[in-house]
């Protein structure tokens, strides 16, 4: 992870990003931002997401992923909440991660003791400072709150802990009072302060004001913690950074209480695009997002910035045409920056450019002269806004190519023998005759009879060939029913092309083999020029 950019990095950035030139124009007046550290709270505020409950093993896996992502701090949990939580934090501490591990604590001795017990040497302690919270939740006077804050910081320091201190609900707290609390904890030895927008209620300009005011009094680093209740978490975080905050509390995918916390990925991309600062290992973002989605079960909306399924998907003809010329026409940055991939989605509004782009992406070499026929079939399929899946497109394209190729077959299956049973390794032998008269006989084993047969065919045709998709469905009920097998194979001729085959029959193994042979012959039909423009 690089913090500062060399001139080569800047050039590379220019090739991968196409951000508004007005950003640099307005930022030229802002004090240059040298460094921003990510304080990840996925394991603490993220776990407070309704519906998420992480097991100790989940938390350890997430901590390891966060460390690989390169965050500076990991808030591993709330040590006082349970013995299991304390033990889990201990386990995370024992991993010896590069990141600084912390635990949250209220400003009470018992909570601080729990953090000490969890093996952390850094604590994040907080107390609410807004009138609303002091009156209705804490039932304490401002003087009592300030005294408690100082007492807690002193206690933690006496026990050898480094301390980050938060005024909870800072953005609804009286400025003079809040300044006095932050100043007092700074004097008591806090290492950094954090400014939480606990209910996500501030706007960017006000955040700039607030941080600038605090900077007048505070000399230790300032962190910011933005919630997204009004959809402004990222904007407010950027405003805070521009005003001098250097630590950002965030969660992967923006999970957290209610509408969540600011999303790490959104902050990180803005840091790199606008300030040339790489605050995490950017290419790990998509992978980390997927890990968190998988473990927490909180899946991203398709239109979630950066990590939603549609973030780099293009469907309309105009857009795909642009993207094929230069992806940056319709992308702010190239998906590989965050380890993601671009997708072309074929749907109702897709034109020939989209379909061509998708075929190219799928490695299908489709003859241009048959495009009108393909487009007509796709339009019928894509009625009512349905998107045409990759498998459907491969099937349709293949079918057209196949029809044009008449009945010519490059590979004919002459013999198929399959041995299977209990305590027997499934084994298959195939005899295949090529159009030039060559006969190949091969055998192989597999996890089941179908797998063994396909492996034997691969040996005979091309070992690089892979079965990308296999779908078996019963056409009628009963054990003597007919079945249908649809397969998509790749690399029949080692050129990455995909091809589709289907077969129907009473025997699963034989039908699977027939579908595979159909796919293989369709692919040969393409290359052997069986498809003639005049046909
Ligand atoms: O949102 C918040 O105020 C918090 C504090 C504990 C920092 O999560
Ligand atoms: Zn929070």
């Amino acid at each position: 992870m690089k913090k500062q950019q060399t001139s080569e990095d800047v050039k590379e950035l220019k090739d991968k990003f196409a951000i508004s030139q007005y950003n640099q124009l307005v930022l030229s007046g802002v004090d240059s931002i040298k460094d921003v550290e990510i304080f990840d709270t996925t394991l603490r505020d993220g776990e407070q997401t309704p519906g998420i409950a992480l097991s100790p093993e989940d938390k350890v896996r997430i901590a390891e992923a966060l460390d690989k992502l390169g965050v500076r701090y990991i808030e591993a949990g709330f040590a006082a909440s349970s013995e299991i939580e304390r033990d889990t934090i201990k386990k995370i501490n024992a991993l010896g991660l590069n990141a600084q591990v912390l635990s949250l604590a209220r400003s009470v001795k018992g909570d601080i003791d729990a953090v000490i017990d969890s093996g952390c040497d850094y604590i994040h302690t907080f107390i609410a400072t807004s009138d609303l919270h002091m009156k209705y939740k804490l039932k304490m006077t401002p003087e009592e709150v300030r005294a408690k804050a100082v007492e807690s910081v002193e206690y933690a320091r006496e026990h050898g802990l480094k301390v980050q201190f938060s005024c909870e609900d800072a953005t609804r707290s009286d400025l003079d009072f809040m300044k006095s609390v932050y100043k007092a904890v700074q004097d008591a030895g806090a290492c950094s302060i954090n400014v939480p927008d606990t209910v996500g209620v501030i706007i960017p300009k006000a955040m700039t004001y607030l941080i600038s005011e605090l900077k007048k009094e505070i000399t230790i680093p300032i962190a910011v913690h933005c919630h997204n209740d009004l959809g402004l978490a990222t904007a407010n975080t950027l405003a805070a950074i521009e005003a001098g905050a250097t630590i950002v509390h965030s969660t992967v995918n923006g999970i957290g209480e209610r509408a969540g916390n600011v999303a790490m990925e959104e902050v990180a991309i803005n840091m790199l695009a606008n300030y040339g600062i790489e605050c995490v290992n950017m290419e790990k973002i998509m992978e980390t997002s997927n890990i968190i989605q998988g473990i927490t079960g909180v899946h991203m909306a398709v239109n979630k910035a950066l990590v939603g399924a549609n973030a780099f998907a293009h469907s309309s003809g105009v857009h795909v045409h642009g993207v094929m010329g230069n992806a940056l026409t319709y992308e702010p940055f190239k998906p590989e920056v965050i380890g993601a991939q671009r997708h072309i989605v074929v749907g109702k509004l897709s034109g020939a450019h989209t379909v061509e782009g998708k075929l190219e992406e799928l490695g299908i070499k489709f003859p241009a002269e048959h495009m009108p026929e393909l487009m007509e079939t796709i339009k019928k399929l894509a009625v009512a806004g349905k998107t045409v899946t990759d498998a459907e497109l491969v099937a349709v394209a293949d079918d057209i190519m196949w029809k044009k190729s008449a009945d010519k077959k490059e590979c004919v299956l002459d013999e198929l023998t399959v041995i299977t049973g209990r305590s027997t390794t499934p084994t298959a032998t195939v005899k295949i005759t090529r159009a030039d008269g060559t006969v190949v006989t091969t055998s192989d084993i597999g996890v089941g009879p179908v797998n063994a047969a396909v492996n034997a065919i691969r040996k005979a045709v091309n070992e690089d060939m892979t079965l990308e998709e296999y779908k078996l469905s019963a056409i009628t009920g009963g054990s003597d029913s007919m079945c249908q097998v649809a397969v998509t194979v790749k690399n029949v001729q080692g050129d990455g092309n995909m091809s589709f085959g289907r077969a129907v029959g009473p025997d699963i193994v034989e039908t699977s083999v027939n579908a595979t042979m159909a796919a293989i012959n369709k692919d040969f039909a393409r290359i052997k020029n069986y498809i003639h423009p005049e046909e």
Side-chain angles (χ1 to χ4, degrees), residues 387-429:
T387 55
V388 178
T389 65
D390 291 1
E392 281 169 336
L393 181 63
V394 173
V396 171
D398 229 49
D399 210 50
I400 292 173
M401 290 197 270
W402 180 239
K403 274 189 223 141
K404 304 286 172 196
S405 72
D407 283 334
K408 299 192 182 73
K409 284 196 180 131
E410 172 65 20
C411 296
V412 175
L413 181 76
D414 293 323
E415 282 174 24
L416 165 70
T417 315
V418 180
I419 302 165
T420 190
R422 217 171 160 157
S423 313
T424 308
T425 305
T427 310
T429 304

mmCIF file of all heavy atoms in Angstrom, residues 387-429:
data_model
loop_
_atom_site.group_PDB
_atom_site.id
_atom_site.type_symbol
_atom_site.label_atom_id
_atom_site.label_comp_id
_atom_site.label_asym_id
_atom_site.label_seq_id
_atom_site.Cartn_x
_atom_site.Cartn_y
_atom_site.Cartn_z
ATOM 1 N N THR A 387 -33.338 -9.900 -18.330
ATOM 2 C CA THR A 387 -31.988 -9.891 -18.907
ATOM 3 C C THR A 387 -31.686 -11.290 -19.439
ATOM 4 O O THR A 387 -32.138 -12.287 -18.898
ATOM 5 C CB THR A 387 -30.906 -9.496 -17.877
ATOM 6 O OG1 THR A 387 -31.026 -10.360 -16.781
ATOM 7 C CG2 THR A 387 -31.026 -8.065 -17.448
ATOM 8 N N VAL A 388 -30.928 -11.310 -20.518
ATOM 9 C CA VAL A 388 -30.570 -12.593 -21.125
ATOM 10 C C VAL A 388 -29.312 -13.080 -20.419
ATOM 11 O O VAL A 388 -28.293 -12.387 -20.410
ATOM 12 C CB VAL A 388 -30.311 -12.401 -22.640
ATOM 13 C CG1 VAL A 388 -29.884 -13.698 -23.294
ATOM 14 C CG2 VAL A 388 -31.561 -11.835 -23.303
ATOM 15 N N THR A 389 -29.387 -14.223 -19.786
ATOM 16 C CA THR A 389 -28.223 -14.700 -19.029
ATOM 17 C C THR A 389 -27.121 -15.125 -20.006
ATOM 18 O O THR A 389 -27.375 -15.364 -21.193
ATOM 19 C CB THR A 389 -28.574 -15.923 -18.153
ATOM 20 O OG1 THR A 389 -28.919 -16.989 -19.033
ATOM 21 C CG2 THR A 389 -29.712 -15.645 -17.207
ATOM 22 N N ASP A 390 -25.911 -15.248 -19.468
ATOM 23 C CA ASP A 390 -24.780 -15.664 -20.303
ATOM 24 C C ASP A 390 -25.078 -17.016 -20.948
ATOM 25 O O ASP A 390 -24.829 -17.222 -22.132
ATOM 26 C CB ASP A 390 -23.502 -15.776 -19.463
ATOM 27 C CG ASP A 390 -23.022 -14.414 -18.992
ATOM 28 O OD1 ASP A 390 -23.699 -13.406 -19.320
ATOM 29 O OD2 ASP A 390 -21.992 -14.359 -18.293
ATOM 30 N N ALA A 391 -25.633 -17.934 -20.132
ATOM 31 C CA ALA A 391 -25.893 -19.281 -20.657
ATOM 32 C C ALA A 391 -26.908 -19.216 -21.792
ATOM 33 O O ALA A 391 -26.769 -19.914 -22.806
ATOM 34 C CB ALA A 391 -26.398 -20.171 -19.534
ATOM 35 N N GLU A 392 -27.930 -18.342 -21.636
ATOM 36 C CA GLU A 392 -28.943 -18.226 -22.700
ATOM 37 C C GLU A 392 -28.323 -17.680 -23.976
ATOM 38 O O GLU A 392 -28.604 -18.166 -25.071
ATOM 39 C CB GLU A 392 -30.085 -17.307 -22.239
ATOM 40 C CG GLU A 392 -31.064 -18.005 -21.316
ATOM 41 C CD GLU A 392 -32.038 -17.034 -20.649
ATOM 42 O OE1 GLU A 392 -31.715 -15.837 -20.524
ATOM 43 O OE2 GLU A 392 -33.114 -17.487 -20.242
ATOM 44 N N LEU A 393 -27.459 -16.679 -23.809
ATOM 45 C CA LEU A 393 -26.848 -16.084 -24.998
ATOM 46 C C LEU A 393 -25.960 -17.110 -25.718
ATOM 47 O O LEU A 393 -26.005 -17.228 -26.949
ATOM 48 C CB LEU A 393 -26.030 -14.838 -24.609
ATOM 49 C CG LEU A 393 -25.370 -14.116 -25.779
ATOM 50 C CD1 LEU A 393 -26.415 -13.562 -26.750
ATOM 51 C CD2 LEU A 393 -24.470 -12.983 -25.303
ATOM 52 N N VAL A 394 -25.176 -17.836 -24.924
ATOM 53 C CA VAL A 394 -24.303 -18.854 -25.531
ATOM 54 C C VAL A 394 -25.172 -19.867 -26.278
ATOM 55 O O VAL A 394 -24.879 -20.239 -27.420
ATOM 56 C CB VAL A 394 -23.460 -19.582 -24.444
ATOM 57 C CG1 VAL A 394 -22.695 -20.755 -25.042
ATOM 58 C CG2 VAL A 394 -22.497 -18.626 -23.778
ATOM 59 N N ALA A 395 -26.284 -20.263 -25.661
ATOM 60 C CA ALA A 395 -27.149 -21.275 -26.272
ATOM 61 C C ALA A 395 -27.737 -20.770 -27.587
ATOM 62 O O ALA A 395 -27.725 -21.471 -28.601
ATOM 63 C CB ALA A 395 -28.263 -21.648 -25.304
ATOM 64 N N VAL A 396 -28.235 -19.513 -27.562
ATOM 65 C CA VAL A 396 -28.876 -18.969 -28.755
ATOM 66 C C VAL A 396 -27.849 -18.795 -29.875
ATOM 67 O O VAL A 396 -28.075 -19.198 -31.030
ATOM 68 C CB VAL A 396 -29.553 -17.617 -28.422
ATOM 69 C CG1 VAL A 396 -30.031 -16.920 -29.681
ATOM 70 C CG2 VAL A 396 -30.713 -17.844 -27.472
ATOM 71 N N ALA A 397 -26.699 -18.216 -29.530
ATOM 72 C CA ALA A 397 -25.658 -17.977 -30.541
ATOM 73 C C ALA A 397 -25.196 -19.304 -31.125
ATOM 74 O O ALA A 397 -25.047 -19.454 -32.345
ATOM 75 C CB ALA A 397 -24.475 -17.246 -29.908
ATOM 76 N N ASP A 398 -25.034 -20.253 -30.260
ATOM 77 C CA ASP A 398 -24.562 -21.557 -30.689
ATOM 78 C C ASP A 398 -25.563 -22.249 -31.593
ATOM 79 O O ASP A 398 -25.209 -22.902 -32.563
ATOM 80 C CB ASP A 398 -24.358 -22.392 -29.423
ATOM 81 C CG ASP A 398 -23.020 -23.031 -29.459
ATOM 82 O OD1 ASP A 398 -22.046 -22.319 -29.728
ATOM 83 O OD2 ASP A 398 -22.970 -24.250 -29.262
ATOM 84 N N ASP A 399 -26.819 -22.088 -31.215
ATOM 85 C CA ASP A 399 -27.861 -22.732 -31.987
ATOM 86 C C ASP A 399 -27.883 -22.206 -33.423
ATOM 87 O O ASP A 399 -28.016 -22.975 -34.372
ATOM 88 C CB ASP A 399 -29.201 -22.459 -31.300
ATOM 89 C CG ASP A 399 -30.145 -23.595 -31.540
ATOM 90 O OD1 ASP A 399 -29.720 -24.752 -31.315
ATOM 91 O OD2 ASP A 399 -31.274 -23.339 -31.998
ATOM 92 N N ILE A 400 -27.709 -20.892 -33.542
ATOM 93 C CA ILE A 400 -27.718 -20.299 -34.886
ATOM 94 C C ILE A 400 -26.519 -20.837 -35.679
ATOM 95 O O ILE A 400 -26.649 -21.268 -36.827
ATOM 96 C CB ILE A 400 -27.708 -18.756 -34.802
ATOM 97 C CG1 ILE A 400 -29.048 -18.294 -34.218
ATOM 98 C CG2 ILE A 400 -27.455 -18.126 -36.168
ATOM 99 C CD1 ILE A 400 -29.140 -16.826 -33.924
ATOM 100 N N MET A 401 -25.365 -20.859 -35.027
ATOM 101 C CA MET A 401 -24.167 -21.357 -35.713
ATOM 102 C C MET A 401 -24.350 -22.819 -36.109
ATOM 103 O O MET A 401 -23.954 -23.259 -37.161
ATOM 104 C CB MET A 401 -22.936 -21.203 -34.811
ATOM 105 C CG MET A 401 -22.518 -19.767 -34.629
ATOM 106 S SD MET A 401 -20.846 -19.659 -33.994
ATOM 107 C CE MET A 401 -21.091 -19.649 -32.264
ATOM 108 N N TRP A 402 -24.971 -23.560 -35.233
ATOM 109 C CA TRP A 402 -25.165 -24.999 -35.451
ATOM 110 C C TRP A 402 -26.086 -25.246 -36.644
ATOM 111 O O TRP A 402 -25.800 -26.054 -37.508
ATOM 112 C CB TRP A 402 -25.754 -25.580 -34.168
ATOM 113 C CG TRP A 402 -26.031 -27.046 -34.154
ATOM 114 C CD1 TRP A 402 -27.233 -27.640 -33.936
ATOM 115 C CD2 TRP A 402 -25.096 -28.099 -34.323
ATOM 116 N NE1 TRP A 402 -27.113 -28.992 -33.947
ATOM 117 C CE2 TRP A 402 -25.803 -29.316 -34.200
ATOM 118 C CE3 TRP A 402 -23.734 -28.144 -34.596
ATOM 119 C CZ2 TRP A 402 -25.197 -30.550 -34.318
ATOM 120 C CZ3 TRP A 402 -23.139 -29.392 -34.711
ATOM 121 C CH2 TRP A 402 -23.854 -30.571 -34.580
ATOM 122 N N LYS A 403 -27.198 -24.486 -36.657
ATOM 123 C CA LYS A 403 -28.152 -24.668 -37.760
ATOM 124 C C LYS A 403 -27.462 -24.408 -39.083
ATOM 125 O O LYS A 403 -27.652 -25.101 -40.060
ATOM 126 C CB LYS A 403 -29.322 -23.699 -37.581
ATOM 127 C CG LYS A 403 -30.420 -24.247 -36.693
ATOM 128 C CD LYS A 403 -31.622 -23.333 -36.763
ATOM 129 C CE LYS A 403 -32.202 -23.115 -35.381
ATOM 130 N NZ LYS A 403 -32.639 -21.757 -35.167
ATOM 131 N N LYS A 404 -26.623 -23.350 -39.086
ATOM 132 C CA LYS A 404 -25.960 -22.985 -40.339
ATOM 133 C C LYS A 404 -24.929 -24.044 -40.741
ATOM 134 O O LYS A 404 -24.498 -24.104 -41.867
ATOM 135 C CB LYS A 404 -25.228 -21.643 -40.190
ATOM 136 C CG LYS A 404 -26.113 -20.521 -39.728
ATOM 137 C CD LYS A 404 -27.027 -20.065 -40.831
ATOM 138 C CE LYS A 404 -28.045 -19.078 -40.283
ATOM 139 N NZ LYS A 404 -29.173 -18.874 -41.172
ATOM 140 N N SER A 405 -24.504 -24.806 -39.783
ATOM 141 C CA SER A 405 -23.433 -25.749 -40.104
ATOM 142 C C SER A 405 -23.972 -27.090 -40.602
ATOM 143 O O SER A 405 -23.210 -28.025 -40.788
ATOM 144 C CB SER A 405 -22.565 -25.993 -38.874
ATOM 145 O OG SER A 405 -23.290 -26.782 -37.960
ATOM 146 N N ALA A 406 -25.279 -27.183 -40.803
ATOM 147 C CA ALA A 406 -25.939 -28.415 -41.255
ATOM 148 C C ALA A 406 -25.567 -29.588 -40.356
ATOM 149 O O ALA A 406 -25.449 -29.421 -39.158
ATOM 150 C CB ALA A 406 -25.606 -28.688 -42.708
ATOM 151 N N ASP A 407 -25.311 -30.721 -40.916
ATOM 152 C CA ASP A 407 -25.102 -31.899 -40.087
ATOM 153 C C ASP A 407 -23.651 -32.337 -39.989
ATOM 154 O O ASP A 407 -23.364 -33.428 -39.513
ATOM 155 C CB ASP A 407 -25.900 -33.084 -40.663
ATOM 156 C CG ASP A 407 -27.358 -32.935 -40.313
ATOM 157 O OD1 ASP A 407 -27.640 -32.280 -39.305
ATOM 158 O OD2 ASP A 407 -28.187 -33.476 -41.070
ATOM 159 N N LYS A 408 -22.749 -31.515 -40.465
ATOM 160 C CA LYS A 408 -21.352 -31.960 -40.492
ATOM 161 C C LYS A 408 -20.819 -32.089 -39.070
ATOM 162 O O LYS A 408 -20.946 -31.194 -38.267
ATOM 163 C CB LYS A 408 -20.518 -30.967 -41.292
ATOM 164 C CG LYS A 408 -20.980 -30.850 -42.720
ATOM 165 C CD LYS A 408 -19.969 -30.103 -43.533
ATOM 166 C CE LYS A 408 -20.425 -29.930 -44.962
ATOM 167 N NZ LYS A 408 -21.490 -28.969 -45.145
ATOM 168 N N LYS A 409 -20.223 -33.208 -38.783
ATOM 169 C CA LYS A 409 -19.692 -33.438 -37.438
ATOM 170 C C LYS A 409 -18.206 -33.704 -37.515
ATOM 171 O O LYS A 409 -17.760 -34.534 -38.296
ATOM 172 C CB LYS A 409 -20.386 -34.635 -36.801
ATOM 173 C CG LYS A 409 -21.783 -34.326 -36.325
ATOM 174 C CD LYS A 409 -22.261 -35.389 -35.372
ATOM 175 C CE LYS A 409 -23.671 -35.055 -34.922
ATOM 176 N NZ LYS A 409 -24.570 -36.168 -35.030
ATOM 177 N N GLU A 410 -17.443 -33.002 -36.650
ATOM 178 C CA GLU A 410 -16.001 -33.224 -36.620
ATOM 179 C C GLU A 410 -15.691 -34.475 -35.791
ATOM 180 O O GLU A 410 -14.797 -35.232 -36.128
ATOM 181 C CB GLU A 410 -15.308 -31.991 -36.022
ATOM 182 C CG GLU A 410 -13.826 -32.122 -35.750
ATOM 183 C CD GLU A 410 -12.990 -32.293 -37.004
ATOM 184 O OE1 GLU A 410 -13.479 -31.935 -38.097
ATOM 185 O OE2 GLU A 410 -11.866 -32.800 -36.904
ATOM 186 N N CYS A 411 -16.433 -34.666 -34.715
ATOM 187 C CA CYS A 411 -16.164 -35.800 -33.828
ATOM 188 C C CYS A 411 -17.411 -36.670 -33.696
ATOM 189 O O CYS A 411 -18.472 -36.156 -33.330
ATOM 190 C CB CYS A 411 -15.815 -35.304 -32.427
ATOM 191 S SG CYS A 411 -14.313 -34.363 -32.365
ATOM 192 N N VAL A 412 -17.265 -37.928 -33.991
ATOM 193 C CA VAL A 412 -18.410 -38.825 -33.837
ATOM 194 C C VAL A 412 -18.072 -39.830 -32.735
ATOM 195 O O VAL A 412 -16.997 -40.438 -32.742
ATOM 196 C CB VAL A 412 -18.721 -39.548 -35.168
ATOM 197 C CG1 VAL A 412 -19.841 -40.569 -34.978
ATOM 198 C CG2 VAL A 412 -19.097 -38.543 -36.241
ATOM 199 N N LEU A 413 -18.979 -39.959 -31.791
ATOM 200 C CA LEU A 413 -18.771 -40.914 -30.696
ATOM 201 C C LEU A 413 -19.222 -42.291 -31.171
ATOM 202 O O LEU A 413 -20.399 -42.528 -31.404
ATOM 203 C CB LEU A 413 -19.590 -40.473 -29.473
ATOM 204 C CG LEU A 413 -19.453 -41.362 -28.259
ATOM 205 C CD1 LEU A 413 -18.115 -41.125 -27.571
ATOM 206 C CD2 LEU A 413 -20.581 -41.098 -27.283
ATOM 207 N N ASP A 414 -18.258 -43.187 -31.340
ATOM 208 C CA ASP A 414 -18.609 -44.528 -31.821
ATOM 209 C C ASP A 414 -18.921 -45.472 -30.672
ATOM 210 O O ASP A 414 -19.780 -46.338 -30.797
ATOM 211 C CB ASP A 414 -17.435 -45.118 -32.631
ATOM 212 C CG ASP A 414 -17.221 -44.337 -33.908
ATOM 213 O OD1 ASP A 414 -18.226 -43.904 -34.493
ATOM 214 O OD2 ASP A 414 -16.062 -44.134 -34.298
ATOM 215 N N GLU A 415 -18.173 -45.314 -29.587
ATOM 216 C CA GLU A 415 -18.376 -46.247 -28.470
ATOM 217 C C GLU A 415 -18.316 -45.509 -27.136
ATOM 218 O O GLU A 415 -17.528 -44.572 -26.989
ATOM 219 C CB GLU A 415 -17.270 -47.319 -28.467
ATOM 220 C CG GLU A 415 -17.485 -48.403 -29.495
ATOM 221 C CD GLU A 415 -16.304 -49.364 -29.559
ATOM 222 O OE1 GLU A 415 -15.557 -49.473 -28.552
ATOM 223 O OE2 GLU A 415 -16.120 -49.980 -30.623
ATOM 224 N N LEU A 416 -19.107 -45.969 -26.201
ATOM 225 C CA LEU A 416 -19.067 -45.419 -24.836
ATOM 226 C C LEU A 416 -19.266 -46.581 -23.866
ATOM 227 O O LEU A 416 -20.236 -47.328 -23.968
ATOM 228 C CB LEU A 416 -20.192 -44.394 -24.628
ATOM 229 C CG LEU A 416 -20.482 -44.007 -23.183
ATOM 230 C CD1 LEU A 416 -19.346 -43.163 -22.602
ATOM 231 C CD2 LEU A 416 -21.791 -43.211 -23.080
ATOM 232 N N THR A 417 -18.301 -46.783 -22.977
ATOM 233 C CA THR A 417 -18.441 -47.813 -21.948
ATOM 234 C C THR A 417 -18.246 -47.142 -20.598
ATOM 235 O O THR A 417 -17.265 -46.405 -20.414
ATOM 236 C CB THR A 417 -17.343 -48.904 -22.095
ATOM 237 O OG1 THR A 417 -17.249 -49.247 -23.469
ATOM 238 C CG2 THR A 417 -17.642 -50.117 -21.241
ATOM 239 N N VAL A 418 -19.168 -47.361 -19.687
ATOM 240 C CA VAL A 418 -19.029 -46.765 -18.354
ATOM 241 C C VAL A 418 -19.165 -47.857 -17.309
ATOM 242 O O VAL A 418 -20.084 -48.671 -17.366
ATOM 243 C CB VAL A 418 -20.098 -45.671 -18.122
ATOM 244 C CG1 VAL A 418 -19.942 -45.077 -16.733
ATOM 245 C CG2 VAL A 418 -19.991 -44.579 -19.166
ATOM 246 N N ILE A 419 -18.192 -47.891 -16.395
ATOM 247 C CA ILE A 419 -18.279 -48.869 -15.298
ATOM 248 C C ILE A 419 -18.486 -48.077 -14.015
ATOM 249 O O ILE A 419 -17.710 -47.149 -13.714
ATOM 250 C CB ILE A 419 -16.984 -49.696 -15.181
ATOM 251 C CG1 ILE A 419 -16.725 -50.418 -16.504
ATOM 252 C CG2 ILE A 419 -17.075 -50.681 -14.020
ATOM 253 C CD1 ILE A 419 -15.322 -50.955 -16.625
ATOM 254 N N THR A 420 -19.521 -48.397 -13.308
ATOM 255 C CA THR A 420 -19.750 -47.713 -12.037
ATOM 256 C C THR A 420 -20.445 -48.679 -11.076
ATOM 257 O O THR A 420 -20.879 -49.749 -11.481
ATOM 258 C CB THR A 420 -20.558 -46.411 -12.234
ATOM 259 O OG1 THR A 420 -20.554 -45.682 -11.017
ATOM 260 C CG2 THR A 420 -22.000 -46.673 -12.658
ATOM 261 N N GLY A 421 -20.510 -48.323 -9.845
ATOM 262 C CA GLY A 421 -21.154 -49.182 -8.869
ATOM 263 C C GLY A 421 -20.661 -48.836 -7.488
ATOM 264 O O GLY A 421 -19.950 -47.850 -7.301
ATOM 265 N N ARG A 422 -21.036 -49.643 -6.511
ATOM 266 C CA ARG A 422 -20.585 -49.417 -5.141
ATOM 267 C C ARG A 422 -19.162 -49.943 -4.994
ATOM 268 O O ARG A 422 -18.827 -50.980 -5.586
ATOM 269 C CB ARG A 422 -21.518 -50.195 -4.219
ATOM 270 C CG ARG A 422 -21.776 -49.446 -2.965
ATOM 271 C CD ARG A 422 -22.839 -50.171 -2.243
ATOM 272 N NE ARG A 422 -22.799 -49.795 -0.863
ATOM 273 C CZ ARG A 422 -23.821 -49.906 -0.075
ATOM 274 N NH1 ARG A 422 -24.944 -50.366 -0.562
ATOM 275 N NH2 ARG A 422 -23.729 -49.545 1.174
ATOM 276 N N SER A 423 -18.335 -49.220 -4.266
ATOM 277 C CA SER A 423 -16.925 -49.589 -4.068
ATOM 278 C C SER A 423 -16.192 -49.758 -5.401
ATOM 279 O O SER A 423 -15.307 -50.601 -5.541
ATOM 280 C CB SER A 423 -16.784 -50.888 -3.278
ATOM 281 O OG SER A 423 -17.599 -50.872 -2.163
ATOM 282 N N THR A 424 -16.599 -49.012 -6.411
ATOM 283 C CA THR A 424 -15.919 -49.065 -7.717
ATOM 284 C C THR A 424 -15.620 -47.634 -8.135
ATOM 285 O O THR A 424 -16.485 -46.777 -7.997
ATOM 286 C CB THR A 424 -16.865 -49.666 -8.797
ATOM 287 O OG1 THR A 424 -17.349 -50.883 -8.296
ATOM 288 C CG2 THR A 424 -16.181 -49.850 -10.125
ATOM 289 N N THR A 425 -14.418 -47.367 -8.612
ATOM 290 C CA THR A 425 -14.133 -46.018 -9.100
ATOM 291 C C THR A 425 -14.785 -45.866 -10.473
ATOM 292 O O THR A 425 -14.495 -46.667 -11.387
ATOM 293 C CB THR A 425 -12.610 -45.805 -9.238
ATOM 294 O OG1 THR A 425 -12.023 -46.106 -7.992
ATOM 295 C CG2 THR A 425 -12.272 -44.386 -9.657
ATOM 296 N N PRO A 426 -15.696 -44.909 -10.617
ATOM 297 C CA PRO A 426 -16.345 -44.759 -11.928
ATOM 298 C C PRO A 426 -15.303 -44.561 -13.034
ATOM 299 O O PRO A 426 -14.427 -43.711 -12.924
ATOM 300 C CB PRO A 426 -17.216 -43.516 -11.748
ATOM 301 C CG PRO A 426 -17.426 -43.414 -10.277
ATOM 302 C CD PRO A 426 -16.174 -43.939 -9.646
ATOM 303 N N THR A 427 -15.400 -45.364 -14.073
ATOM 304 C CA THR A 427 -14.420 -45.334 -15.158
ATOM 305 C C THR A 427 -15.166 -45.340 -16.489
ATOM 306 O O THR A 427 -16.164 -46.061 -16.634
ATOM 307 C CB THR A 427 -13.511 -46.591 -15.088
ATOM 308 O OG1 THR A 427 -13.035 -46.710 -13.748
ATOM 309 C CG2 THR A 427 -12.343 -46.511 -16.044
ATOM 310 N N ALA A 428 -14.686 -44.536 -17.434
ATOM 311 C CA ALA A 428 -15.353 -44.501 -18.741
ATOM 312 C C ALA A 428 -14.324 -44.642 -19.858
ATOM 313 O O ALA A 428 -13.182 -44.180 -19.734
ATOM 314 C CB ALA A 428 -16.114 -43.194 -18.907
ATOM 315 N N THR A 429 -14.746 -45.285 -20.955
ATOM 316 C CA THR A 429 -13.909 -45.388 -22.156
ATOM 317 C C THR A 429 -14.740 -44.877 -23.327
ATOM 318 O O THR A 429 -15.924 -45.227 -23.442
ATOM 319 C CB THR A 429 -13.498 -46.854 -22.410
ATOM 320 O OG1 THR A 429 -12.842 -47.333 -21.240
ATOM 321 C CG2 THR A 429 -12.557 -46.967 -23.604
#
